[in-house]
Amino acid sequence: QVQLMESGGGLVQAGGSLRLSCAASGSFFSINGMGWYRQAPGKQRELVARITTFGSPNYADSVLGRFTISGDNAKHTVYLQMNSLSPEDTAVYYCNYYRGAHYWGQGTQVTVSS
């Protein structure tokens, strides 16, 4: 089993920044395959950013240029640096790990005020 724990969410004003962290434990092998999803009220859960099999980042068009995903494999931790936040970024952010099955963190709330 893999356990994921997010942290770093909170309330921020429009234009501000937050950094989310996700620490993995259990039968964790590599940060490759980890990513961030988010779900806003009344909206479908959507992929925000992910680390591919080859360790390169992919981003949703809505966050491209503003968000940066990175990781420290030795620390079993992945990060999401979020800059230039807008109210449209308000959502519960979930850490995800896929290795034949999906593993999810508990989610962390990000609220951006206008």
Side-chain angles (χ1 to χ4, degrees):
Q1 298 89 346
V2 175
Q3 295 81 43
L4 305 172
M5 181 63 69
E6 305 100 329
S7 62
L11 176 65
V12 65
Q13 295 183 31
S17 298
L18 285 173
R19 191 189 194 201
L20 307 183
S21 298
C22 176
S25 61
S27 58
F28 181 79
F29 178 71
S30 172
I31 62 170
N32 291 0
M34 294 183 68
W36 292 92
Y37 290 71
R38 68 185 181 186
Q39 187 165 24
K43 301 292 183 64
Q44 298 182 64
R45 186 173 298 188
E46 64 176 353
L47 176 69
V48 177
R50 65 186 290 267
I51 299 174
T52 71
T53 302
F54 304 111
S56 58
N58 285 337
Y59 299 96
D61 288 344
S62 60
V63 306
L64 188 65
R66 299 187 298 121
F67 291 11
T68 302
I69 188 170
S70 62
D72 187 331
N73 201 50
K75 295 182 178 180
H76 297 179
T77 300
V78 66
Y79 308 95
L80 185 68
Q81 178 67 46
M82 305 184 294
N83 299 325
S84 301
L85 286 162
S86 71
E88 289 71 38
D89 297 312
T90 295
V92 177
Y93 284 70
Y94 297 92
C95 183
N96 172 266
Y97 181 56
Y98 182 76
R99 290 280 183 172
H102 285 283
Y103 298 89
W104 297 94
Q106 85 286 356
T108 185
Q109 177 71 47
V110 172
T111 302
V112 184
S113 62
S114 58

